[in-house]
Every structure is written in structure tokens, then in C-alpha cells.
Amino acid sequence: MLRALFEKTGQAVWISHLDLMRLFQRAFKRAGLALTHTQGYNPRPSVSIALPLSVGVQSHCELLDFELEGEAVSCQEITERLNGALVDGVRILKVYENGDKIKNIAFLDCTMALEYDKDIPQGAETAITSLFSRENLLVEKKSKNGITEQDIIPMIRQITVTAKDGHCLVLNARICCQNPTLNPVQLSAAIAKYMPQLTPDFVTCCRKEIYTPEETIFR
Amino acid sequence: MTELLQRILPTVQKPARYTGGEFNEIKKDPVQTRVRVAFCFPDTYEIGMSNLGMRILYGIMNGMDGVACERVFAPWGDMQKAIEDNDLPLWALESQSPVRDFDMIAFTIGYEMCYANILNMLRLSGIPLRSEDRQGLKNIVFAGGVCAYNPEPLAEFVDFFCLGEGEDITVEIITLYDKAKAENWSKEAFLLAVSKIPGVYVPSFYRHEYNADGTLSAITVENGAPSVITKRIVEDLDNAYWPTKMIVPSTEIVHDRANLEVFRGCIRGCRFCQAGFSCRPVRKKSPEVLYRQAVETLEDSGHNEITLSSLSTSDYRGLKELTDQMIPYCEQNRVNLSVPSLRADNFSRELMEKLQTVRKSGLTFAPEAGTQRLRDVINKNLSEDEILTTCRNAFSGGWNNVKLYFMLGLPTETDEDVLGIAELVYKVIQTWKEHATNKKRGLRVHVATAYFVPKPHTPFQWEQQITPEEYLRRCKLLKSHFYSKSITYDYHGPDLSRLEAVFARGDRRLGAVIAEAMKNGAKLDGWDEYFNYGIWFDAFQKCGIDPDFYTVRGYGEEEILPWDTINVGIDKKFLLRERKRAYEAKITPDCREGCAGCGANRLLKEVPCDA
Ligand code: SF4
Ligand code: SF4
């Protein structure tokens, strides 16, 4: 099995998870790299992307697992050929063998930019910092069984809030991303719920890095 | 700070359709660009990107030096609301710049019920709807596509139409515009000059007058424009431009596969079919060229499916040769080969067995009418025998899914013909009972009926459309004769087809109706989510126009028809002859059995028709 570490930025953030899988399948074909296929009545190329990313979120640490048929091609060459066949915003950073098991991903670092069209409200930085230092923080979570409430505090390893400029607060957080999973959106949802006067006008989100349970970088 | 559009994107469905940035998108250097064309498709991205004509012309225009062509699609309702709320003008995908900044605005129109979208897209762009309200050379609006064969309902809005296949005429038009812009011509001077290009129709050069009964009394030609405009065609398809480097959408579209056109025109001449007549003469591409283009297209795009498209692919003379080459290639490269509209002959049966995609989608027939008599009237050369033989083979091969398409309201149709549909369906079920090898999974028969819409440039262009009430009565009559649980019967309400009939044979007076309906929110009428008959009904009332004039009235053979100025290559005498034969229930053999003398061969200079 091979693994590609890739990033998804720019306009490509609007490509959904399913569409991205199809995009990769085509990119492999364009690059002249034949993917192995699943067995069965309706064979499908075997590619999978770990931890589906929400539409609109950037990432510098996406993982794509795949297998190739035919003659072996070096990881370096796969990287180059794929990058020549992909769209702007989807870029392979490296391809490697023997990646760790996906189930060993435990945490991720994300950055959220909270944009305020008027100035950042007075005291927002401290207020938000103190919000996330509460003992518990119940936030709604959408799931298959409807909307449930979830305490997000145990899923936050660390979080900092800093003003980038007069209009933008930056939230850097290390959060659980697998069993249990905290969707970064819940961080801004917590602000909107408990401090509605600090609700930003727009929020962008970016995945920075993923980690093992021991908090070493996951690859 | 994140800009406005980026803030809107997370709030709408399928944002990727608004961003561009797909593989093979063409972005030209603005510094080198003299003419910018906003190429608008008046429906959603998913439909527009599935349109082969648009892909060909996109490639052609961007292949021109100094010309940049960008794509524009109709926004879905959520996006429309967002851009209206935020006062954003509609933009083109490649540069994300406003449509109103473009020199030329081109529309491709394949369906009457997208007329409101055309006006809506102009409005969302902040461009005046009416031709006379757009001064100067900026924002010249032109249009092509099948609906340009009767463009009168849009005459007030569109500066000029191009008739027929766009490969050559588009280049001539843009080259002229390039010169006009450099020399600072007036719009009037440009329209005068563009009207001299064969195949260009400038509606403002034709004055339409009416009799007291509402029919046309005269069409007066002005400014030395041609009295008849003949559509353009490409004679040599082998050497015609083919876009090997096609845009590969990053989000799923309707026809999400490579698409290779094997020939143009149709040999069959079903009397209701506008495409069948208006796309003549019959011209093919050679299998060698097609095979080469198929491989290039697949390798460039990375698609895992390719369709061999045309109006009737089983009539393609080189089909065996082409598929013999393609099947091994496709198997080796894990590509699905799909061949639509196969007929019931032996070769097609063999081919069907080899093609996996057919298996998935099941069997589809379009007998259009339930009795042989009525099929003879419409010249649909598909017998009950052929249908049942194909079904028998398929059922014994383990298939258990059949789709049957019919029309209701065809000329001379009686209740007996309507019930003939039910009989035919029962024979299909009977065939299954006798021949199915796998009865456990049961049989599913989907029957769909459409409301017949008489179209210009067909032998039925003078016919009456039956009333909506009568159409519904026939649907219910048919429904009451379906007893089996295996049958699913779908029929659409009559409203959409009634409007389609109005606009298909409409005249200039309908422009006011479209503008009024659009003002009141008509958009995306082809989508159940948005179609609102009430808006249209009110618009007709407000404009004092009776839709029945265009539908149930029928047109007189002596009457001046709104589309008389337009020549698609088919002689009116031929259409009248075919109409007569229809009433005598006489079929006309297809072009392979003998040329029926439709006139379309006269459009060819270099080769005979269907060579
Ligand atoms: S076969 Fe008949 S219905 Fe089909 S395209 Fe040809 S003329 Fe039209
Ligand atoms: S000119 Fe003759 S062969 Fe050609 S399309 Fe017309 S009827 Fe058929």
C-alpha cells in the first residue's frame, strides 16, 4: 500500500469528499498510473482518503491510500506525475510506503480565523480564552441520529486565541479527531452559543497537522 | 479578509460549480486579449457542462488569437438569492469577473423552457434585457443552438442568432467583432456587417406584421438583409475541430464521461422529431479518426467511461469497425464503453451483450405510439416484433428491467391507439413470463408518456396540440388499463409541455410574456423545484396573449410561419408531402433505402449525403 500526503487549498476547498475521490481516480489515469480495483460485480478503483474534510476547509495534511498495478514506479515519480495531472489547489507533498495505520490518528492541529467586519469586540480575546477553559461546554452536534449535545472540553488538548490584526482573531487548537471526533466548527459554534455578541462575521478553518495518540506527527 | 463570494460559497449547495478551476480550464492572459466572450449556458453547471456543443465552441473560441472565452451558468436558487441579497453581479467562471465586463455574450439554447433563464442571467449580470437598450459594441448578445431555428420569442432580446453548426461561423463572427472593436464601429454598423455572414440572423432587420386574427400578415426585410437565412454545417467532420483537451469537472455532472460524436444528422425521419430533420444532412466521421480521438480524449481526461453519441448511434455505418477497435482498448484500460440508442437488429444484440453498461441500465425502447398504424403515421420504424424479440433475448439472458417511452396527443391518435400502449406492455410482460430465466427478481416495466409538442421544421409543424384536459383524459384512460404490479407508469403534468409548445412555434409577441414571467420570478423552469405555471399563466393574461393560439389552434398550410425566414435545409414542399403521407399512414423509408428528397443534400458541396 502507498500513501500520499497532500494539501487542499484555494478554490479546491470547495470540492466535496466524494468528488475528490473521483478527481483522484481520474488524475491517476491521466498520470498513466493504474490503480488496483476492488473485486466484484462492479469493480472500483481502490483509493481512500482518511478523515473526510468538510467542504470549505483547507488542509495541509490530507492522506490518500492507494495501490498500483503493473511495474513499480518510484514514490518520487508518482508525486511528480500526479502533480502534473491534478487541479490547482490539490498538491501532493510526498508519497511513501508503510504508512501508520489510519486508526492511530488521534489528534489534529487546526487554525481558525474569526473575522469581524467591524473591529474585534472589546475583550474578545480574553473572553474566548476563558470560555474554552471552562469545566465543560455543551455544544450541539449533528449526527445521523439528529442533533445531540456534546461536551467539547475533553476533546480539546490545547487552544490559544490571539489577535492577528484589528479584524481577525486566530484560534489555534489541538483537538481529538478520531474516537471521539471534534469538528472544528463546534469551536466557533460554542462562541456563538455562549457569547453571541462575539459571533464572528465569517470563519475560515485550516487543518495543519495530524498526530498519533502519543502526539507525535502521524504519517 | 475573505471576499464576499468566498463567504457565500459555504452557504450554498454544491459550491464547486461556481468556482471554476477544473482540469483543462483555459485561462487566457488578459494583456493579450482583445475580445472577451462570456459563453452562457441557460441552465445549471451540471447540465451545461454535459453539452458537447458548448465544449467544442469553448475550445474553438479560446483557440483564436486574442480571444478569451469564459463559461457562465445559471445559478441555482440559493445562489441567486445570495447574490441578489449581496448585490453581486453574475460572474464568469474562469476569471471570476462580472459578465457585464465582457465584449460579447453568447448563449447556447437547446430548450424552449430555458428562455426565462436567458433573461434572468442578463438581469443578474446587470445587462439591459432588450437589444435596443444596449448601446454600443459592449455586451453584444448573440445565440445559437436548436432553438435558434425559431428564435422569434427572443427576437427583442438577442442582437443576432447564428444558425446551424457553430464551428466556422463563430470564428467569422468574432473576427469581425475584433475588427469592429479596433476600429470603433457603432453597433448598427456591426449588425449590418454581421448580417452579411451566411447563417447570421439579425431579427431587428425583419419587420413582422399581423392580421386581425393574430396570424402573420407579412415579414418585411430591411437593411439589405437576406430574405432567407440558411443554416451552416460542417461538411468534413474528420477534419473538423475536435476538443481533445476537454474540461474535466471537479464535481459530478449529468453526463460525467467522455463523449464522442460519431455522426451528425439522422437517416430516420420520424415525423415529430425536430432534431431528426434540422440536423440533416447525414455526415459521418471515419472509425479511424474516431478511435484516435477516443484514445486521446480518454488519456487526456482520465475518464473511465466513454459514450459514442449521435441521434441514432446504431445507424452509424462504421459502428462495427469502431467498436471492434474500442472494446479491447476499453477492456484493457478499464473504461466502460456506452453505446446509446441501439436498435433491435442482430449486430446490436451481439454488441449489447459485449457492453457491460447496457446491462446496468436495462432495456429502453421509444416506440412513441401504441399501435402499428400510429407508428406508421409518425414514421417510427420500430415494430412490435422487434421489441418483443429483443425483450425475449434479454429476458432469457437474465435481464428484468424494461423502459418504454410513448407520446400522447400525436396527430390522428384515437383511444384505440392509447390502449394499444397497454396491449404492447402486456405483451412485454407475457414475453417475460414465457422466457425469463430468472423469475425470482420479478419484472419491472417503466412506462412513460409525454405530451406531444409540435415542432418547427418537421412535417407536424402545422399540427394542433391537444388540450391539456384531453391529454390528461388519455393518461387516465391508459392508467386505468394497467393492472399488473410490474408496471410503473409516469406521466408529467401537461403544463410544461404546453408552454414548450407555445414557445417552440411562438412569434415575437411572446417576448413580453417571457420578460413579464422572469420579472415575477420564473427561472429554471426545467426543474420541478422551480417550475411555477402560475407565473406564466399570469404573464399571458397580463400581456393579453392566449396560449391556445400557439397550441390547440394549429397553423394553416398557407399561413406565414414565424420561422419562414429560416432554412434548415429541408424543403417546405417535402414537409407538406410528409404530412400528407402521415395522414395516409404511409411510411417513408429511411435514407439508406433511398433518398426521400428532403433537400438537405443541397447544403453539401463536397460530398453526397450519407456517404
Ligand atoms: S431516430 Fe427518429 S426520433 Fe431518433 S433522432 Fe432520428 S428522427 Fe429523431
Ligand atoms: S437528402 Fe436524401 S439522403 Fe440526405 S437526409 Fe435528405 S432524404 Fe436523406
Side-chain angles (χ1 to χ4, degrees):
Chain A
M1 204 232 10
L2 290 162
R3 180 167 291 165
L5 174 74
F6 69 97
E7 58 180 21
K8 192 180 177 203
T9 58
Q11 293 291 58
V13 302
W14 305 110
I15 303 172
S16 71
H17 176 69
L18 272 181
D19 284 336
L20 189 65
M21 302 259 278
R22 289 170 339 108
L23 188 142
F24 268 114
Q25 289 163 13
R26 288 171 184 169
F28 274 96
K29 255 184 176 302
R30 298 195 279 261
L33 300 166
L35 289 166
T36 57
H37 281 60
T38 55
Q39 304 290 313
Y41 181 65
N42 203 350
R44 291 183 179 285
S46 27
V47 289
S48 69
I49 298 174
L51 309 183
L53 191 64
S54 305
V55 170
V57 178
Q58 289 188 47
S59 174
H60 299 285
C61 54
E62 294 299 288
L63 299 178
L64 171 84
D65 287 351
F66 60 95
E67 255 173 292
L68 294 182
E69 294 182 331
E71 262 173 62
V73 183
S74 77
C75 290
Q76 180 61 30
E77 192 177 336
I78 296 174
T79 308
E80 282 162 19
R81 274 158 65 173
L82 275 180
N83 278 333
L86 281 164
V87 298
D88 278 358
V90 181
R91 200 165 61 94
I92 307 286
L93 302 171
K94 71 171 180 192
V95 172
Y96 53 95
E97 286 172 290
N98 307 322
D100 195 353
K101 288 199 176 64
I102 295 294
K103 70 174 195 324
N104 286 338
I105 304 176
F107 305 104
L108 66 77
D109 280 354
C110 66
T111 298
M112 301 185 83
L114 314 180
E115 299 180 2
Y116 297 92
D117 291 349
K118 303 204 186 76
D119 293 337
I120 298 174
Q122 276 274 306
E125 217 177 309
T126 4
I128 294 174
T129 309
S130 69
L131 175 71
F132 290 114
S133 2
R134 289 194 190 173
E135 295 257 304
N136 51 49
L137 207 51
L138 291 177
V139 181
E140 281 80 39
K141 181 190 178 155
K142 265 195 244 155
S143 73
K144 283 180 209 113
N145 319 318
I147 293 173
T148 50
E149 280 212 326
Q150 202 184 14
D151 181 10
I152 64 169
I153 293 295
M155 293 185 283
I156 305 175
R157 289 299 270 206
Q158 56 189 52
I159 190 162
T160 61
V161 187
T162 41
K164 183 171 153 230
D165 55 38
H167 294 283
C168 183
L169 281 181
V170 175
L171 231 151
N172 278 304
R174 178 164 301 174
I175 57 178
C176 293
C177 62
Q178 210 171 207
N179 299 324
T181 306
L182 174 62
N183 186 334
V185 173
Q186 288 172 278
L187 297 175
S188 52
I191 301 174
K193 180 174 177 188
Y194 293 98
M195 303 180 159
Q197 74 287 1
L198 301 183
T199 307
D201 293 296
F202 191 68
V203 181
T204 63
C205 181
C206 179
R207 261 188 202 172
K208 293 288 202 195
E209 191 52 275
I210 38 179
Y211 299 92
T212 63
E214 295 74 40
E215 295 190 52
T216 58
I217 290 177
F218 180 95
R219 286 293 177 269
Chain B
M1 281 304 221
T2 307
E3 54 178 300
L4 193 50
L5 177 59
Q6 298 293 318
R7 287 188 177 194
I8 289 173
L9 288 171
T11 68
V12 300
Q13 292 174 40
K14 304 187 188 169
R17 56 186 166 184
Y18 303 110
T19 61
E22 310 92 324
F23 186 74
N24 275 341
E25 177 189 64
I26 303 173
K27 281 188 177 167
K28 298 261 279 241
D29 176 2
V31 183
Q32 310 281 331
T33 302
R34 298 185 304 276
V35 181
R36 296 181 76 198
V37 185
F39 196 1
C40 307
F41 191 92
D43 209 315
T44 60
Y45 178 90
E46 289 78 3
I47 306 265
M49 285 306 293
S50 304
N51 181 281
L52 187 58
M54 185 162 190
R55 285 164 172 266
I56 292 176
L57 295 178
Y58 178 79
I60 287 187
M61 287 191 250
N62 279 314
M64 293 176 73
D65 168 64
V67 178
C69 168
E70 304 192 20
R71 296 160 298 151
V72 187
F73 300 94
W76 193 246
D78 54 358
M79 180 54 104
Q80 172 167 330
K81 182 167 186 309
I83 65 181
E84 282 177 324
D85 288 351
N86 289 287
D87 256 326
L88 275 178
L90 190 64
W91 64 93
L93 295 189
E94 279 72 3
S95 64
Q96 301 275 302
S97 58
V99 174
R100 62 170 179 239
D101 291 352
F102 283 71
D103 296 302
M104 307 187 83
I105 295 156
F107 280 94
T108 177
I109 334 175
Y111 178 42
E112 290 81 3
M113 293 316 295
C114 69
Y115 289 175
N117 290 345
I118 297 175
L119 299 199
N120 196 34
M121 287 169 81
L122 289 174
R123 180 184 66 89
L124 293 171
S125 304
I127 295 170
L129 304 185
R130 289 187 169 73
S131 181
E132 61 182 25
D133 296 333
R134 296 186 300 264
Q135 311 287 318
L137 277 188
K138 190 103 190 167
N139 295 163
I140 293 278
V141 177
F142 68 112
V146 198
C147 290
Y149 294 146
N150 177 27
E152 294 310 322
L154 295 171
E156 263 181 82
F157 313 108
V158 175
D159 294 314
F160 65 91
F161 294 91
C162 348
L163 307 182
E165 294 163 7
E167 279 91 342
D168 301 325
I169 191 172
T170 310
V171 176
E172 294 160 27
I173 290 166
I174 295 174
T175 309
L176 181 72
Y177 184 91
D178 193 4
K179 180 173 149 79
K181 190 181 172 191
E183 296 174 1
N184 218 349
W185 296 7
S186 68
K187 178 170 174 178
E188 293 65 35
F190 173 71
L191 288 181
L192 205 57
V194 84
S195 75
K196 306 282 189 268
I197 293 177
V200 170
Y201 172 59
V202 181
S204 57
F205 293 175
Y206 300 78
R207 214 172 56 242
H208 285 214
E209 284 157 307
Y210 302 90
N211 296 308
D213 67 1
T215 56
L216 275 167
S217 63
I219 300 178
T220 315
V221 187
E222 287 163 352
N223 293 327
S227 55
V228 170
I229 298 106
T230 304
K231 78 164 187 206
R232 296 284 293 271
I233 57 158
V234 174
E235 286 205 34
D236 179 3
L237 294 180
D238 276 348
N239 288 305
Y241 172 82
W242 175 256
T244 310
K245 292 191 159 301
M246 283 201 230
I247 293 178
V248 185
S250 301
T251 177
E252 196 166 4
I253 60 170
V254 178
H255 297 296
D256 214 356
R257 56 187 93 99
N259 183 342
L260 195 62
E261 189 187 27
V262 296
F263 79 123
R264 288 186 186 169
C266 183
I267 62 164
R268 304 241 158 227
C270 307
R271 292 177 179 130
F272 55 84
C273 178
Q274 187 179 36
F277 290 103
S278 67
C279 297
R280 287 177 170 196
V282 183
R283 291 142 296 148
K284 66 158 198 276
K285 274 167 105 164
S286 61
E288 307 81 71
V289 171
L290 286 170
Y291 179 72
R292 196 186 69 225
Q293 290 175 344
V295 172
E296 280 174 25
T297 304
L298 285 167
E299 281 175 4
D300 184 78
S301 68
H303 277 296
N304 61 2
E305 182 168 355
I306 187 164
T307 304
L308 303 181
S309 70
S310 75
L311 291 173
S312 173
T313 298
S314 56
D315 291 327
Y316 170 53
R317 285 185 194 272
L319 190 59
K320 179 165 171 16
E321 211 180 319
L322 178 61
T323 49
D324 279 351
Q325 270 186 293
M326 296 258 328
I327 288 171
Y329 174 87
C330 289
E331 271 167 13
Q332 204 179 355
N333 293 283
R334 295 187 190 274
V335 172
N336 273 330
L337 175 62
S338 111
V339 184
S341 57
L342 282 176
R343 296 182 67 83
D345 56 51
N346 283 330
F347 168 68
S348 301
R349 264 202 296 277
E350 273 168 40
L351 189 58
M352 251 189 262
E353 274 152 31
K354 286 190 218 157
L355 300 171
Q356 218 210 340
T357 44
V358 186
R359 189 171 281 270
K360 269 188 283 180
S361 59
L363 288 174
T364 303
F365 298 100
E368 308 294 2
T371 58
Q372 193 58 47
R373 183 201 70 82
L374 192 54
R375 284 195 292 274
D376 289 346
V377 167
I378 62 176
N379 206 35
K380 185 88 216 179
N381 175 11
L382 180 62
S383 67
E384 186 175 295
D385 215 38
E386 269 179 273
I387 296 169
L388 296 181
T389 312
T390 312
C391 284
R392 194 175 62 222
N393 286 320
F395 295 151
S396 48
W399 299 6
N400 55 359
N401 197 344
V402 185
K403 290 194 185 112
L404 292 159
Y405 294 104
F406 299 93
M407 279 191 266
L408 291 178
L410 288 162
T412 78
E413 183 176 271
T414 62
D415 283 358
E416 198 181 316
D417 299 305
V418 177
L419 297 181
I421 296 175
E423 254 170 71
L424 181 59
V425 172
Y426 277 109
K427 286 182 187 157
V428 169
I429 297 176
Q430 213 50 47
T431 309
W432 181 81
K433 282 190 183 147
E434 282 163 27
H435 297 277
T437 44
N438 181 3
K439 289 206 183 128
K440 256 188 252 123
R441 276 155 71 207
L443 170 72
R444 281 213 311 269
V445 187
H446 288 261
V447 180
T449 57
Y451 181 9
F452 169 61
V453 176
K455 292 273 172 137
H457 307 290
T458 69
F460 291 162
Q461 66 175 355
W462 296 276
E463 296 301 326
Q464 301 174 334
Q465 188 182 42
I466 57 170
T467 62
E469 297 73 32
E470 175 58 17
Y471 164 73
L472 285 174
R473 187 193 66 81
R474 293 186 198 182
C475 292
K476 285 179 189 138
L477 175 69
L478 179 56
K479 193 167 182 191
S480 68
H481 283 74
F482 285 144
Y483 307 107
S484 163
K485 274 208 195 76
S486 313
I487 305 171
T488 329
Y489 174 41
D490 283 324
Y491 62 90
H492 269 269
D495 299 338
L496 196 66
S497 305
R498 184 177 187 226
L499 289 178
E500 191 185 329
V502 170
F503 292 108
R505 294 189 294 178
D507 55 34
R508 291 190 178 184
R509 291 170 298 188
L510 293 173
V513 177
I514 305 170
E516 177 66 19
M518 187 279 287
K519 201 178 83 194
N520 296 314
K523 62 165 183 287
L524 300 171
D525 289 297
W527 297 83
D528 290 343
E529 290 93 326
Y530 292 106
F531 178 60
N532 181 340
Y533 188 61
I535 293 180
W536 288 98
F537 186 84
D538 293 345
F540 280 109
Q541 292 231 303
K542 180 138 191 238
C543 300
I545 285 177
D546 176 11
D548 284 350
F549 176 81
Y550 304 94
T551 58
V552 297
R553 178 181 72 94
Y555 290 58
E557 288 184 0
E558 307 301 320
E559 202 176 314
I560 298 174
L561 301 171
W563 56 96
D564 270 348
T565 333
I566 282 157
N567 173 24
V568 299
I570 310 291
D571 293 334
K572 203 171 190 175
K573 280 202 297 265
F574 169 81
L575 294 179
L576 283 165
R577 203 158 71 221
E578 280 293 296
R579 185 185 197 204
K580 202 157 156 273
R581 289 175 76 88
Y583 277 93
E584 293 163 358
K586 275 196 196 147
I587 61 156
T588 296
D590 67 51
C591 302
R592 300 265 156 88
E593 283 182 48
C595 171
C598 75
N601 54 336
R602 286 201 300 267
L603 298 174
L604 294 163
K605 306 261 164 344
E606 294 151 25
V607 283
C609 192
D610 191 28

